[in-house]
């Protein structure tokens, strides 16, 4: 049903990013450069709201068609003050035993993420006060220098997974651009590859195309520089914002079990783990129910500043049919929490309080608690293979809600309420975090780790490979017929298909046994690597809290074993009463990690355990190593960093060519207006004549506002933006529309809405190559020009010309920059005023 927009131009606009970089002054680069201008001010990010594929379900048709919730980066910088504040670095180099630090230590944390730079009158006074407050604070703490060796930077992002390329760019950007004030300079070198962790919440409704390995780019039509730049920019801005909110805080850690929010989606695999091991976790069962939460309270004012928690559940409440950008259940939980602490009157995105619901060992954990059912019969599926009559596509897990949207609300709200309980619980469950901040980081060449087994034998991990069941998908997002989970035998036909890429050697087949190799991804290098062979791991210490950053999805039991192994190392060195959490999907992506026993079942998670059945053992061995290094204050050995393949990336996603509009119409004008009046709980729908949102992603801004007319000053005041749960921005455009597009805005009027006059507005940016001509026609009314230049006929001619331009490198060189330059113009429109009673 769904057609990938621009499928025709896909073929023609094939280009390499590298050529874009070498010809800096030519046109598609100029395109990205001018976008960067918009990014600069802002730090809330969303990937392109249109046409880009979502990461997660790997469905070619699941492309972004608008925004339900903006994606966010939430950054926390936690560190100790430089011992010696006279900036003499040499003085501070002396290593100190950890225990001595306990009482002296002070920790600083900056929150982030949440301010939108917008021109708004309504909250001006409020903002002025905030601004003054902020300036005071900056003044107060601007002289604080953090010790880079005792600082960790943790960023939770609403995205599918972390990316090593993004980490590299974020660190580069932080070092390049921090040349302003003294405070900016002390940000330089503070967050680096070894103490920065960017962990994704694993929402399956965020744009793809930002990973540098070919496998992840198949359904997203290659690499998408727009998405990559937006994510990078958002994270950099979040870290910078965190840095500017420096403040002494008290950190508390609390934990508690949360039931009825998750189920195991491979319960038969879990049962293969030894019984005595499973009995140890009888209170929690086959998924981790424990939420571990850090809360940050300003030391001076005692105000709550933020929270950061980990609870294991997949971001798959929104299903594979969803086409609106969304933070899924974690994003909704963050939204509710930030709204609770910042107050309803604070616009979403503003406000000091930051709540991050981060991901952990969620590998086999689904939020679809009703469980898998056959879509045709309604009966449970075959439990071993997750099929109905042999077809995996019919076996789909259902959430607790009526719709996937409703399920997201239920699962998100339960996490939020539990987090609030943990935070407000003033009994002894709250433990004050004391102790030093420290970290160790290591790149590990996971494709060939030598492993010393307990029985004294030596073995090794294998080059990355995906098994048949990988193509079977999961019950949260089934794969393709004829594949199904639990396949442990291979078929010549599929071996031949997979063999086009790389034929596994006998040794590789033996190494991966019993996984039948479908894709020998570790050896595929055309056009560039398909999966990482080198992965980053790190351990962060914040007092007695330890964060284990892994670039993968650990299953429940795999996570428990890793935490236990690290705990044993800590206890052997007399570090007791620790809280250990796994930060999942951090800093790169290498699929799943199961236990050796689960590996034998070859369900999806096992087929996606890239480096063979000893993958978990390798992780544990490497974490034991860096944990020991951390405790003994010795440096950690590291393999070479993963390659930077940016220059080789292929992108098949065409740029936005033109925005057109029918003759006589104006961009931003209303196509379908609001009714005269509504009641609460009704939905207002307004449609605007609009443009492709990829022209300007409005990072930190909004595509829509819901305004109320104030009875006091007679001015319109914004109350909701496109980040709010009650609003939806849908983009209607693409292939069949010849460049014409509409912005459909829906506002589901919340119950607590007061009686009054409201309106809905839309801001967009249109794209025209002939900006020069347009400017020379300045004396003609704008709508006339835009409708003239926006007419189909003219645009088809221009589109052909532009396509030719795009195709021909030499032509591109020959044309002047002016002609080739994309030209952007903002537009704005509002609905009629309507009454809400
Ligand atoms: C941090 O540690 C590194 C390596 O141990 C050392 O070279 C550097 O001087 C230290 N920096 C500070 C500010 O102590
Ligand atoms: C950093 O300095 C360079 C050159 O002095 C300047 O071009 C650039 O704009 C500065 N960046 C910031 C963020 O101030
Ligand atoms: C989980 O939900 C079921 C009903 O859906 C209820 O009977 C049960 O008590 C709940 N368990 C917990 C621990 O809340
Ligand atoms: C804030 O909004 C929530 C729902 O979004 C509502 O339940 C609550 O009553 C509101 N609080 C106030 C003070 O209006
Ligand atoms: C997703 O959920 C919606 C309702 O929320 C349902 O109509 C649709 O069939 C579901 N799609 C899939 C692929 O499960
Ligand atoms: C794996 O590492 C060992 C040494 O640790 C080395 O001898 C061997 O050649 C490596 N294998 C591959 C395929 O790189
Ligand atoms: C360890 O090596 C011995 C001798 O090669 C072999 O018999 C035994 O099966 C190995 N054990 C494991 C667990 O592989
Ligand atoms: C493959 O799985 C089947 C059950 O699904 C099992 O009987 C068989 O032993 C397995 N084969 C291997 C090689 O593990
Ligand atoms: C660890 O916690 C227990 C109680 O939970 C307490 O009795 C013990 O003293 C603590 N140990 C340390 C070293 O703090
Ligand atoms: C709000 O509307 C929905 C359907 O759109 C309905 O199911 C629900 O009961 C309504 N709630 C109230 C409080 O009227
Ligand atoms: C929308 O555009 C108008 C007119 O250019 C501008 O005044 C307003 O600030 C913009 N609003 C947002 C939220 O960007
Ligand atoms: C890998 C890396 O970035 N290492 C750096 C860690 O931090 C120390 C101190 O700032 C640097 O010297 C290392 O280069």
């Amino acid at each position: 049903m769904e057609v990938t927009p621009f499928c025709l131009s896909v073929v023609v606009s094939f280009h390499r990013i590298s050529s874009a970089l070498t010809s800096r002054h030519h046109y598609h680069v100029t395109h990205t450069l001018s976008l960067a201008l918009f990014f600069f001010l802002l730090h809330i990010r969303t990937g392109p709201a249109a046409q880009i594929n979502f990461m997660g379900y790997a469905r070619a048709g699941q492309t972004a068609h608008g925004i339900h919730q903006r994606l966010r980066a939430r950054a926390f910088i936690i560190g100790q003050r430089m011992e010696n504040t006279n900036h003499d670095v040499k003085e501070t180099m002396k290593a100190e035993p950890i225990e001595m630090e306990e009482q002296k230590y002070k920790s600083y944390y900056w929150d982030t993420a949440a301010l939108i730079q917008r021109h708004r009158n309504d909250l001006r006074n409020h903002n002025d006060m905030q601004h003054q407050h902020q300036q005071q604070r900056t003044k107060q703490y601007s002289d604080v220098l953090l010790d880079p060796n005792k600082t960790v930077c943790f960023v939770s992002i609403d995205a599918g997974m972390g990316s090593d390329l993004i980490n590299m760019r974020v660190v580069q950007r932080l070092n390049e651009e921090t040349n302003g004030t003294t405070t900016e300079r002390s940000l330089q070198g503070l967050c680096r590859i070894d103490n920065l962790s960017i962990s994704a919440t694993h929402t399956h409704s965020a744009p793809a195309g930002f990973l540098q390995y070919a496998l992840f780019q198949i359904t997203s039509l290659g690499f998408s520089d727009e998405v990559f730049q937006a994510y990078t920019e958002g994270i950099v801005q979040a870290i910078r914002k965190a840095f500017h909110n420096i403040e002494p805080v008290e950190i508390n850690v609390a934990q508690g079990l949360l039931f009825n929010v998750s189920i195991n989606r491979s319960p038969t695999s879990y049962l293969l783990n030894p019984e005595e091991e499973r009995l140890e976790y009888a209170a929690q069962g086959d998924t981790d129910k424990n939420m571990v939460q850090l809360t940050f309270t300003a030391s001076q004012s005692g105000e709550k500043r933020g929270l950061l928690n980990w609870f294991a559940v997949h971001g798959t409440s929104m299903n594979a049919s969803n086409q609106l950008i969304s933070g899924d259940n974690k994003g909704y939980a963050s939204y509710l929490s930030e709204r609770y602490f910042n107050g309803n009157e604070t616009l979403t995105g503003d406000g000091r309080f930051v709540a991050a619901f981060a991901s952990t060992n969620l590998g086999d954990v689904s939020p679809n608690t009703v469980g898998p059912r056959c879509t045709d019969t309604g009966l449970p599926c075959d439990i071993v293979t997750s099929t109905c009559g042999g077809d995996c596509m019919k076996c789909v897990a259902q959430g607790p809600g009526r719709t996937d949207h409703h399920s997201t609300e239920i699962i998100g709200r339960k996490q939020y309420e539990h987090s609030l309980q943990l935070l407000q619980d003033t009994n002894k469950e709250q433990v004050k975090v004391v102790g030093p901040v420290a970290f160790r980081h290591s790149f590990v060449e996971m494709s060939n780790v030598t492993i010393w087994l307990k029985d004294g034998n030596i073995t090794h991990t294998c080059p990355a490979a995906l098994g048949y069941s990988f193509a079977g998908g999961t019950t949260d997002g089934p794969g393709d017929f004829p594949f199904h989970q639990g396949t442990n035998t291979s078929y010549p036909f599929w071996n031949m298909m997979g063999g086009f890429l790389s034929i596994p050697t006998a040794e590789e087949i033996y190494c991966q046994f019993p996984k039948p190799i479908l894709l020998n991804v570790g050896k595929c290098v055309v056009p560039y690597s398909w999966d990482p062979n080198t992965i980053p791991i790190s351990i962060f210490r914040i007092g007695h809290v330890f964060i284990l950053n892994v670039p993968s999805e650990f299953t429940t039991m795999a996570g428990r074993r890793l935490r236990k192994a690290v705990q044993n190392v800590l206890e052997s060195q007399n570090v007791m009463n620790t809280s250990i959490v796994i930060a999942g999907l951090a800093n790169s992506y290498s699929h799943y990690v199961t236990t050796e026993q689960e590996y034998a079942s070859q369900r999806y998670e096992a087929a996606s355990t890239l480096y063979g059945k000893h993958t978990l053992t390798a992780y544990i061995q490497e974490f034991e190593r860096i944990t020991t290094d951390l405790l003994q204050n010795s440096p950690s050995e590291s393999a070479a960093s993963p390659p930077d393949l940016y220059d080789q990336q292929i992108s098949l996603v065409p740029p936005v060519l033109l925005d057109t509009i029918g003759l006589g119409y104006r961009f931003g004008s209303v196509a379908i207006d609001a009714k005269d009046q509504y009641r609460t709980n009704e939905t207002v729908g307004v449609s605007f004549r609009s443009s492709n949102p990829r022209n300007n992603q409005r990072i930190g801004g909004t595509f829509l506002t819901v305004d109320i007319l104030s009875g006091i000053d007679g001015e319109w005041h914004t109350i909701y933006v496109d980040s709010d749960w009650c609003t939806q921005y849908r983009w209607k455009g693409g292939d069949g529309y010849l460049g014409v597009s509409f912005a459909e805005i829906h506002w589901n009027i919340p119950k607590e809405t007061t009686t009054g006059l409201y309106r809905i507005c839309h801001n967009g940016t249109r794209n025209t190559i002939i900006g020069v001509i347009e400017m020379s026609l300045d004396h003609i009314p704008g709508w006339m020009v835009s409708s003239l230049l926006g007419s189909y006929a003219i645009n088809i001619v221009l589109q052909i010309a532009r396509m030719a331009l795009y195709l021909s490198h030499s032509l591109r060189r020959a044309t002047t920059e002016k002609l080739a330059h994309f030209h952007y113009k903002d537009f704005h429109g509002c609905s009629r005023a309507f009454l809400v009673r």
Side-chain angles (χ1 to χ4, degrees):
M1 193 179 83
E2 199 52 53
V3 184
T4 311
F6 287 107
C7 59
L8 186 98
S9 43
V10 162
V11 187
V12 229
S13 62
F14 181 99
H15 76 282
R16 277 172 171 263
I17 302 286
S18 59
S19 69
L21 284 176
T22 47
S23 58
R24 272 205 171 270
H25 294 294
H26 299 286
Y27 112 7
H28 46 270
V29 199
T30 332
H31 178 58
T32 24
L33 289 182
S34 46
L35 275 173
L37 268 177
F38 291 107
F39 295 148
F40 180 67
L41 281 176
L42 314 152
H43 56 275
I44 295 179
R45 64 212 176 75
T46 195
Q51 295 174 320
I52 309 283
N53 190 236
F54 281 160
M55 190 74 207
Y57 293 116
R59 296 281 169 85
Q62 196 197 10
T63 52
H65 277 62
I67 299 177
H68 187 198
Q69 261 199 311
R70 257 174 201 269
L71 306 174
R72 279 163 202 274
R74 298 178 168 89
F76 299 82
I77 304 177
I78 300 159
Q80 286 176 254
R81 192 197 282 264
M82 196 82 96
E83 289 286 297
N84 191 328
T85 42
N86 69 7
H87 306 193
D88 189 346
V89 177
K90 279 192 191 117
E91 284 287 317
T92 64
M93 269 178 64
K94 51 181 189 304
E96 300 197 48
I98 299 155
E99 262 61 48
M100 271 180 57
E101 286 278 330
E102 295 274 338
Q103 297 312 314
K104 282 192 287 173
Y105 129 96
K106 240 185 181 174
S107 129
Y108 294 89
Y109 123 91
W110 300 265
D111 81 322
T112 177
L115 285 184
I116 303 187
Q117 300 277 335
R118 267 194 317 258
H119 319 280
R120 283 179 298 109
N121 298 324
D122 50 320
L123 287 170
R124 191 187 287 150
N125 292 339
H126 172 73
N127 277 353
D128 280 353
M129 270 166 56
Q130 264 203 345
H131 185 64
Q132 273 171 17
H133 187 54
Q134 197 138 342
Q135 283 213 323
Q136 270 170 13
R137 195 166 45 238
T138 309
K139 207 170 163 194
Q140 198 167 358
Y141 299 110
S142 62
D143 58 335
V144 170
L145 265 189
L146 285 182
D147 185 337
N149 287 348
K150 295 173 186 167
T151 298
V152 293
C153 308
F154 188 87
V155 188
S156 172
I157 58 171
D158 291 333
M161 58 279 297
S163 146
D164 45 11
L165 192 59
I166 284 185
N167 282 51
M168 289 184 228
R169 282 304 176 279
V170 166
V171 169
Q172 272 173 16
R173 284 279 316 276
L174 287 174
N175 286 337
E176 276 165 14
E177 291 185 10
T178 49
N179 54 359
T181 60
T182 327
T183 17
E184 286 274 288
R185 269 203 302 280
S186 46
L187 173 59
Q188 193 156 20
L190 196 63
C191 301
R192 307 171 307 274
I193 289 293
D194 58 346
N195 69 345
L196 167 68
S197 178
I198 303 174
S199 164
T201 60
H202 205 37
T203 168
H204 280 42
S205 299
F210 58 98
L211 292 161
Q212 62 171 341
Y213 302 100
L215 176 71
F216 309 116
Q217 303 176 355
I218 293 174
T219 45
S220 64
L221 301 178
F223 185 77
S224 167
D225 205 42
E226 286 164 61
V227 178
F228 178 71
Q229 299 296 349
Y231 283 9
T232 305
E233 186 58 35
I235 294 164
V236 167
Q237 297 299 336
I239 292 175
R240 182 175 289 146
K241 179 118 184 78
F243 180 75
H244 284 293
N245 282 328
I246 178 171
E247 184 174 24
V249 291
E250 183 177 293
I251 306 177
N252 283 292
V253 61
Q255 47 194 310
L257 304 184
L258 170 62
F259 289 92
N260 282 358
V261 173
S262 58
I263 60 164
N264 192 307
R265 68 184 189 188
S266 287
T268 50
S269 296
Y270 179 84
L271 287 174
L272 297 175
N273 293 306
E275 191 179 358
E276 60 279 14
E277 187 182 30
R278 284 185 278 120
L279 281 176
E280 274 180 58
Y281 303 96
Q284 298 190 43
D286 61 4
T287 67
D288 276 340
K289 308 291 192 308
N290 196 23
M291 179 185 272
V292 179
Q293 176 163 279
L294 299 178
T295 52
F296 303 88
T297 312
S299 302
Q300 279 166 344
S301 62
E303 273 174 51
K304 295 274 182 279
R305 288 292 188 236
L307 60 84
L308 166 58
N309 66 41
W310 290 270
F311 178 79
V313 71
H314 250 77
T316 48
S317 287
M318 296 301 295
N319 70 22
S321 322
N322 174 45
Q323 296 194 319
L324 296 184
I325 286 172
S326 166
D328 210 282
N329 59 58
K330 298 271 181 193
Y332 185 58
S334 289
Y335 172 77
L336 291 176
S337 187
E338 284 165 3
R339 209 168 164 75
Y340 176 82
F341 284 100
N342 290 321
N344 285 357
E345 68 284 0
T346 305
L347 274 189
T348 301
D350 287 4
R352 286 270 290 144
F353 192 90
V354 174
F357 286 70
S359 73
T360 176
N361 54 322
L362 47 64
D364 50 0
V365 189
S366 166
N368 295 315
T369 49
V370 172
R373 292 269 187 283
C374 295
T375 48
D376 47 359
T377 61
L379 297 171
C381 319
D382 177 79
I383 195 159
V384 175
T385 58
S386 292
T387 53
C388 299
D391 187 349
C392 70
M393 295 177 77
K394 287 190 187 142
C395 175
V396 182
Q398 310 289 323
R402 294 181 304 273
T403 61
D404 57 346
H405 188 277
H406 187 215
S407 298
T408 307
E409 285 179 351
I410 294 172
I411 302 294
R413 180 171 288 280
K414 283 188 176 172
Q415 289 178 74
Y416 151 69
E417 283 168 353
H418 187 64
S419 139
L420 194 61
Q421 238 172 37
L422 287 180
L423 186 142
Q424 289 174 340
D425 190 357
T426 47
N427 70 19
K428 57 187 182 306
E429 298 293 315
Q430 293 268 1
V431 181
K432 192 172 168 185
V433 178
V434 288
V437 178
F439 57 89
R440 282 297 178 275
H441 172 277
S442 184
F443 287 116
V444 178
E445 205 184 312
M446 233 359 162
S447 54
N448 185 16
V449 175
T450 307
I451 294 166
W452 286 269
L453 293 174
K454 290 229 167 68
D455 61 8
N457 285 6
I458 292 179
T459 182
H460 57 90
T461 52
C462 331
L466 289 162
Y468 274 50
S469 306
F470 167 72
T474 70
T475 51
D476 289 333
D480 295 307
F481 190 75
F483 294 102
H484 63 76
Q485 300 197 68
T487 310
N488 64 4
T489 45
S490 65
Y491 301 96
F493 176 75
W494 293 111
N495 288 348
M496 188 187 76
M497 297 301 286
F500 276 122
L501 295 161
S502 162
I503 299 170
T505 63
E507 197 193 338
E508 282 157 13
I509 292 171
Y510 176 74
C511 186
Q512 293 278 358
F513 183 83
K515 181 201 285 173
I517 298 178
L518 178 66
L519 294 169
N520 199 31
V521 282
K523 292 295 174 72
C524 301
V525 287
V526 177
Y528 33 83
S529 300
W530 276 52
D531 249 321
N533 279 325
T534 302
I535 59 153
I537 59 166
S538 57
I539 177 167
F540 288 178
R541 174 177 196 176
I542 305 163
H544 65 278
V545 177
F546 291 82
I547 302 171
L548 315 178
N549 300 295
V550 297
S552 38
E553 305 179 44
F554 275 59
T555 61
T556 302
M557 195 57 95
R560 288 169 178 171
R561 284 191 197 168
L562 176 64
R563 286 197 303 258
K564 195 167 189 184
V566 169
Q567 187 183 347
N568 287 342
V569 174
L570 293 173
E571 288 181 356
S572 74
Q573 309 269 333
N574 259 333
V575 182
M576 305 306 224
N577 290 0
T578 54
S579 294
I580 303 169
V581 292
I582 291 172
L585 298 131
N587 309 317
S588 184
Y589 186 60
S590 65
H591 305 251
Y592 285 73
V593 178
T594 61
T595 66
E596 198 179 323
Q597 291 83 1
E598 291 162 0
Y599 189 80
S601 74
Q602 280 303 308
R603 282 179 59 83
Y604 178 82
E605 295 82 12
S608 308
T609 297
L610 287 183
Y611 311 101
K613 70 172 174 185
H614 295 302
T615 305
L616 174 61
T617 317
Y619 268 99
I620 288 176
Q621 182 179 305
E622 296 301 304
F623 266 100
E624 286 171 343
R625 173 174 67 86
I626 63 172
T627 306
T628 307
D629 291 340
L630 180 127
L631 294 179
Q632 298 181 344
N633 209 7
S634 51
S636 283
E637 272 179 37
S638 176
S641 65
D644 181 335
L645 305 171
Y646 184 78
D647 287 353
Q648 297 170 37
Q649 295 298 309
I650 292 172
S651 179
L652 303 171
V653 186
V656 179
L657 290 174
L658 279 173
D659 294 302
T660 60
I661 193 163
L663 215 54
Y665 293 119
R666 193 171 53 78
F667 282 96
S669 61
V670 175
I672 301 171
D673 213 337
K675 294 190 298 189
D676 290 332
Q677 56 175 312
Y678 295 85
R679 290 179 177 282
T680 58
N681 198 32
E682 278 186 312
T683 300
V684 186
V686 180
S687 175
F688 295 90
R689 294 185 188 277
S690 188
S691 62
N692 194 312
R694 284 170 61 198
N695 294 330
N696 174 2
Q697 300 168 33
R698 314 196 96 73
I699 294 185
T702 176
F703 284 103
L704 69 90
T705 62
V706 176
D707 303 340
I708 182 172
L709 188 65
S710 160
I712 299 164
D713 58 9
E715 302 235 17
W716 289 102
H717 293 210
T718 297
I719 53 168
Y720 292 114
V721 293
D722 64 10
S723 291
D724 279 288
W725 196 253
C726 62
T727 62
Q728 288 190 357
Y729 158 60
R730 282 178 189 274
W731 181 69
K732 291 267 166 81
D735 247 4
Y737 290 80
L738 289 169
V740 178
S741 53
F742 295 90
E744 278 185 16
I745 293 167
H746 296 274
W747 176 40
N748 192 296
I749 308 170
K751 279 198 297 287
E752 68 270 14
T753 307
T754 50
T755 299
L757 276 180
Y758 292 81
R759 69 173 185 185
I760 288 175
C761 300
H762 168 52
N763 282 40
T765 303
R766 69 195 169 88
N767 162 5
T768 151
I769 41 166
I770 30 179
V772 186
I773 305 173
E774 201 168 325
M775 271 182 278
S776 66
L777 297 176
D778 264 355
H779 52 282
I780 300 178
W783 68 265
M784 204 183 275
V785 178
S786 67
S787 74
L788 197 68
L789 297 177
S791 78
Y792 297 132
I794 292 177
N795 270 318
I796 284 166
V797 173
L798 288 174
Q799 194 140 339
I800 291 167
R802 184 179 235 180
M803 194 71 85
L805 221 77
Y806 193 78
L807 276 175
S808 157
H809 192 64
S810 47
L811 199 69
R812 220 155 64 209
R813 281 186 184 286
T815 53
T816 65
E817 204 188 323
K818 258 185 191 162
L819 184 59
H821 203 304
F822 279 85
H823 183 78
Y824 295 101
K825 269 196 146 171
D826 286 344
F827 60 85
H828 174 72
C830 290
S831 73
R832 75 199 317 163
F834 53 86
L835 182 69
V836 173
R837 296 194 292 127

